[in-house]
mmCIF file of all heavy atoms in Angstrom:
data_model
loop_
_atom_site.group_PDB
_atom_site.id
_atom_site.type_symbol
_atom_site.label_atom_id
_atom_site.label_comp_id
_atom_site.label_asym_id
_atom_site.label_seq_id
_atom_site.Cartn_x
_atom_site.Cartn_y
_atom_site.Cartn_z
ATOM 1 N N HIS B 1 0.830 -1.205 0.000
ATOM 2 C CA HIS B 1 0.000 0.000 0.000
ATOM 3 C C HIS B 1 0.862 1.252 0.000
ATOM 4 O O HIS B 1 2.017 1.236 0.449
ATOM 5 C CB HIS B 1 -0.923 0.010 1.223
ATOM 6 C CG HIS B 1 -1.877 -1.140 1.261
ATOM 7 N ND1 HIS B 1 -2.869 -1.309 0.315
ATOM 8 C CD2 HIS B 1 -1.980 -2.189 2.113
ATOM 9 C CE1 HIS B 1 -3.555 -2.404 0.602
ATOM 10 N NE2 HIS B 1 -3.030 -2.970 1.674
ATOM 11 N N GLU B 2 0.262 2.345 -0.489
ATOM 12 C CA GLU B 2 0.942 3.623 -0.487
ATOM 13 C C GLU B 2 0.167 4.626 0.345
ATOM 14 O O GLU B 2 -1.038 4.465 0.572
ATOM 15 C CB GLU B 2 1.135 4.159 -1.903
ATOM 16 C CG GLU B 2 -0.089 4.811 -2.514
ATOM 17 C CD GLU B 2 -0.976 3.839 -3.244
ATOM 18 O OE1 GLU B 2 -0.921 2.636 -2.945
ATOM 19 O OE2 GLU B 2 -1.749 4.287 -4.121
ATOM 20 N N ARG B 3 0.867 5.652 0.802
ATOM 21 C CA ARG B 3 0.227 6.715 1.576
ATOM 22 C C ARG B 3 0.618 8.051 0.963
ATOM 23 O O ARG B 3 1.802 8.393 0.901
ATOM 24 C CB ARG B 3 0.684 6.652 3.040
ATOM 25 C CG ARG B 3 -0.001 7.696 3.932
ATOM 26 C CD ARG B 3 0.422 7.546 5.385
ATOM 27 N NE ARG B 3 1.787 8.006 5.618
ATOM 28 C CZ ARG B 3 2.844 7.220 5.736
ATOM 29 N NH1 ARG B 3 2.709 5.913 5.616
ATOM 30 N NH2 ARG B 3 4.052 7.724 5.953
ATOM 31 N N PRO B 4 -0.361 8.832 0.491
ATOM 32 C CA PRO B 4 -0.026 10.127 -0.108
ATOM 33 C C PRO B 4 0.323 11.154 0.964
ATOM 34 O O PRO B 4 -0.296 11.200 2.031
ATOM 35 C CB PRO B 4 -1.310 10.510 -0.845
ATOM 36 C CG PRO B 4 -2.401 9.816 -0.092
ATOM 37 C CD PRO B 4 -1.809 8.527 0.412
ATOM 38 N N ILE B 5 1.315 11.960 0.681
ATOM 39 C CA ILE B 5 1.732 13.041 1.568
ATOM 40 C C ILE B 5 1.578 14.345 0.794
ATOM 41 O O ILE B 5 2.349 14.635 -0.120
ATOM 42 C CB ILE B 5 3.188 12.875 2.032
ATOM 43 C CG1 ILE B 5 3.406 11.487 2.658
ATOM 44 C CG2 ILE B 5 3.555 13.978 3.008
ATOM 45 C CD1 ILE B 5 2.610 11.237 3.906
ATOM 46 N N ALA B 6 0.551 15.110 1.132
ATOM 47 C CA ALA B 6 0.282 16.367 0.433
ATOM 48 C C ALA B 6 1.138 17.484 1.021
ATOM 49 O O ALA B 6 1.378 17.537 2.227
ATOM 50 C CB ALA B 6 -1.194 16.726 0.527
ATOM 51 N N SER B 7 1.597 18.376 0.165
ATOM 52 C CA SER B 7 2.433 19.486 0.618
ATOM 53 C C SER B 7 1.629 20.746 0.874
ATOM 54 O O SER B 7 2.179 21.743 1.358
ATOM 55 C CB SER B 7 3.515 19.776 -0.426
ATOM 56 O OG SER B 7 2.932 20.111 -1.677
ATOM 57 N N GLY B 8 0.355 20.726 0.522
ATOM 58 C CA GLY B 8 -0.483 21.903 0.724
ATOM 59 C C GLY B 8 -1.932 21.519 0.936
ATOM 60 O O GLY B 8 -2.241 20.415 1.399
ATOM 61 N N ALA B 9 -2.826 22.425 0.592
ATOM 62 C CA ALA B 9 -4.254 22.192 0.789
ATOM 63 C C ALA B 9 -4.743 21.070 -0.127
ATOM 64 O O ALA B 9 -4.304 20.927 -1.263
ATOM 65 C CB ALA B 9 -5.036 23.469 0.518
ATOM 66 N N VAL B 10 -5.676 20.264 0.386
ATOM 67 C CA VAL B 10 -6.248 19.144 -0.360
ATOM 68 C C VAL B 10 -7.727 19.400 -0.598
ATOM 69 O O VAL B 10 -8.472 19.703 0.332
ATOM 70 C CB VAL B 10 -6.063 17.816 0.403
ATOM 71 C CG1 VAL B 10 -6.748 16.670 -0.336
ATOM 72 C CG2 VAL B 10 -4.588 17.511 0.602
ATOM 73 N N GLY B 11 -8.138 19.294 -1.856
ATOM 74 C CA GLY B 11 -9.542 19.462 -2.205
ATOM 75 C C GLY B 11 -10.205 18.122 -2.484
ATOM 76 O O GLY B 11 -9.566 17.070 -2.423
ATOM 77 N N ARG B 12 -11.479 18.175 -2.815
ATOM 78 C CA ARG B 12 -12.244 16.955 -3.103
ATOM 79 C C ARG B 12 -13.054 17.122 -4.373
ATOM 80 O O ARG B 12 -13.755 18.123 -4.542
ATOM 81 C CB ARG B 12 -13.200 16.625 -1.948
ATOM 82 C CG ARG B 12 -12.523 16.115 -0.695
ATOM 83 C CD ARG B 12 -13.543 15.829 0.402
ATOM 84 N NE ARG B 12 -12.919 15.272 1.591
ATOM 85 C CZ ARG B 12 -12.811 13.973 1.858
ATOM 86 N NH1 ARG B 12 -13.318 13.092 1.005
ATOM 87 N NH2 ARG B 12 -12.216 13.550 2.959
ATOM 88 N N LEU B 13 -12.941 16.135 -5.265
ATOM 89 C CA LEU B 13 -13.831 16.065 -6.413
ATOM 90 C C LEU B 13 -15.065 15.270 -6.014
ATOM 91 O O LEU B 13 -15.095 14.591 -4.982
ATOM 92 C CB LEU B 13 -13.111 15.414 -7.602
ATOM 93 C CG LEU B 13 -11.829 16.112 -8.071
ATOM 94 C CD1 LEU B 13 -11.304 15.457 -9.340
ATOM 95 C CD2 LEU B 13 -12.047 17.599 -8.298
ATOM 96 N N THR B 14 -16.093 15.347 -6.837
ATOM 97 C CA THR B 14 -17.363 14.710 -6.474
ATOM 98 C C THR B 14 -17.725 13.508 -7.337
ATOM 99 O O THR B 14 -18.496 12.648 -6.907
ATOM 100 C CB THR B 14 -18.513 15.730 -6.571
ATOM 101 O OG1 THR B 14 -18.617 16.215 -7.913
ATOM 102 C CG2 THR B 14 -18.274 16.900 -5.626
ATOM 103 N N GLN B 15 -17.165 13.416 -8.540
ATOM 104 C CA GLN B 15 -17.534 12.341 -9.456
ATOM 105 C C GLN B 15 -16.586 11.153 -9.299
ATOM 106 O O GLN B 15 -15.416 11.323 -8.971
ATOM 107 C CB GLN B 15 -17.528 12.852 -10.894
ATOM 108 C CG GLN B 15 -18.495 13.996 -11.129
ATOM 109 C CD GLN B 15 -19.925 13.633 -10.745
ATOM 110 O OE1 GLN B 15 -20.383 12.521 -11.009
ATOM 111 N NE2 GLN B 15 -20.620 14.576 -10.119
ATOM 112 N N PRO B 16 -17.065 9.922 -9.552
ATOM 113 C CA PRO B 16 -16.291 8.741 -9.166
ATOM 114 C C PRO B 16 -15.242 8.278 -10.167
ATOM 115 O O PRO B 16 -15.422 8.353 -11.380
ATOM 116 C CB PRO B 16 -17.377 7.671 -9.014
ATOM 117 C CG PRO B 16 -18.425 8.064 -10.015
ATOM 118 C CD PRO B 16 -18.439 9.576 -9.999
ATOM 119 N N LEU B 17 -14.161 7.778 -9.598
ATOM 120 C CA LEU B 17 -13.189 6.963 -10.324
ATOM 121 C C LEU B 17 -13.674 5.520 -10.203
ATOM 122 O O LEU B 17 -13.957 5.048 -9.103
ATOM 123 C CB LEU B 17 -11.808 7.116 -9.687
ATOM 124 C CG LEU B 17 -10.671 6.255 -10.261
ATOM 125 C CD1 LEU B 17 -10.347 6.702 -11.675
ATOM 126 C CD2 LEU B 17 -9.443 6.342 -9.366
ATOM 127 N N MET B 18 -13.789 4.813 -11.319
ATOM 128 C CA MET B 18 -14.308 3.451 -11.311
ATOM 129 C C MET B 18 -13.163 2.456 -11.089
ATOM 130 O O MET B 18 -12.038 2.665 -11.537
ATOM 131 C CB MET B 18 -15.025 3.148 -12.619
ATOM 132 C CG MET B 18 -16.045 4.205 -13.035
ATOM 133 S SD MET B 18 -17.276 4.566 -11.740
ATOM 134 C CE MET B 18 -18.181 3.007 -11.733
ATOM 135 N N HIS B 19 -13.499 1.338 -10.414
ATOM 136 C CA HIS B 19 -12.457 0.393 -10.009
ATOM 137 C C HIS B 19 -13.019 -1.025 -9.998
ATOM 138 O O HIS B 19 -13.968 -1.311 -9.270
ATOM 139 C CB HIS B 19 -11.960 0.775 -8.611
ATOM 140 C CG HIS B 19 -10.887 -0.122 -8.070
ATOM 141 N ND1 HIS B 19 -10.769 -0.393 -6.724
ATOM 142 C CD2 HIS B 19 -9.891 -0.811 -8.690
ATOM 143 C CE1 HIS B 19 -9.741 -1.198 -6.531
ATOM 144 N NE2 HIS B 19 -9.191 -1.468 -7.700
ATOM 145 N N GLU B 20 -12.428 -1.896 -10.803
ATOM 146 C CA GLU B 20 -12.775 -3.313 -10.767
ATOM 147 C C GLU B 20 -11.817 -3.987 -9.782
ATOM 148 O O GLU B 20 -10.773 -4.510 -10.158
ATOM 149 C CB GLU B 20 -12.653 -3.953 -12.147
ATOM 150 C CG GLU B 20 -13.132 -5.397 -12.182
ATOM 151 C CD GLU B 20 -12.889 -6.054 -13.537
ATOM 152 O OE1 GLU B 20 -11.723 -6.055 -14.004
ATOM 153 O OE2 GLU B 20 -13.862 -6.543 -14.122
ATOM 154 N N SER B 21 -12.178 -3.975 -8.511
ATOM 155 C CA SER B 21 -11.270 -4.450 -7.480
ATOM 156 C C SER B 21 -11.053 -5.957 -7.545
ATOM 157 O O SER B 21 -9.911 -6.438 -7.543
ATOM 158 C CB SER B 21 -11.806 -4.058 -6.099
ATOM 159 O OG SER B 21 -10.904 -4.430 -5.095
ATOM 160 N N PHE B 22 -12.149 -6.719 -7.572
ATOM 161 C CA PHE B 22 -12.088 -8.180 -7.675
ATOM 162 C C PHE B 22 -13.117 -8.625 -8.701
ATOM 163 O O PHE B 22 -14.313 -8.438 -8.490
ATOM 164 C CB PHE B 22 -12.393 -8.843 -6.332
ATOM 165 C CG PHE B 22 -11.450 -8.473 -5.221
ATOM 166 C CD1 PHE B 22 -11.802 -7.535 -4.267
ATOM 167 C CD2 PHE B 22 -10.203 -9.067 -5.134
ATOM 168 C CE1 PHE B 22 -10.930 -7.193 -3.247
ATOM 169 C CE2 PHE B 22 -9.324 -8.737 -4.116
ATOM 170 C CZ PHE B 22 -9.692 -7.797 -3.174
ATOM 171 N N ARG B 23 -12.656 -9.231 -9.795
ATOM 172 C CA ARG B 23 -13.604 -9.618 -10.838
ATOM 173 C C ARG B 23 -14.337 -10.920 -10.506
ATOM 174 O O ARG B 23 -15.456 -11.142 -10.941
ATOM 175 C CB ARG B 23 -12.905 -9.741 -12.185
ATOM 176 C CG ARG B 23 -11.869 -10.835 -12.276
ATOM 177 C CD ARG B 23 -11.220 -10.893 -13.648
ATOM 178 N NE ARG B 23 -10.194 -11.904 -13.727
ATOM 179 C CZ ARG B 23 -8.931 -11.721 -13.398
ATOM 180 N NH1 ARG B 23 -8.545 -10.530 -12.979
ATOM 181 N NH2 ARG B 23 -8.054 -12.704 -13.480
ATOM 182 N N ASP B 24 -13.695 -11.829 -9.739
ATOM 183 C CA ASP B 24 -14.332 -13.099 -9.393
ATOM 184 C C ASP B 24 -13.697 -13.644 -8.118
ATOM 185 O O ASP B 24 -12.737 -13.078 -7.573
ATOM 186 C CB ASP B 24 -14.218 -14.122 -10.527
ATOM 187 C CG ASP B 24 -12.778 -14.329 -11.001
ATOM 188 O OD1 ASP B 24 -11.852 -14.251 -10.160
ATOM 189 O OD2 ASP B 24 -12.567 -14.558 -12.205
ATOM 190 N N LEU B 25 -14.239 -14.762 -7.632
ATOM 191 C CA LEU B 25 -13.783 -15.317 -6.364
ATOM 192 C C LEU B 25 -12.353 -15.845 -6.457
ATOM 193 O O LEU B 25 -11.604 -15.817 -5.473
ATOM 194 C CB LEU B 25 -14.732 -16.427 -5.902
ATOM 195 C CG LEU B 25 -14.620 -16.839 -4.422
ATOM 196 C CD1 LEU B 25 -14.817 -15.639 -3.511
ATOM 197 C CD2 LEU B 25 -15.630 -17.934 -4.103
#
């Protein structure tokens, strides 16, 4: 895993990034 380290202010977008985490068992 990674951990982001921001150097300044962090904003938020509202629309989703899609992710196929696990396709099957």
Side-chain angles (χ1 to χ4, degrees):
H1 298 295
E2 79 271 23
R3 183 177 73 259
I5 306 296
S7 59
V10 176
R12 288 179 177 266
L13 302 186
T14 61
Q15 300 304 319
L17 176 67
M18 310 306 292
H19 180 212
E20 185 185 55
S21 184
F22 300 101
R23 65 180 178 273
D24 53 34
L25 196 56

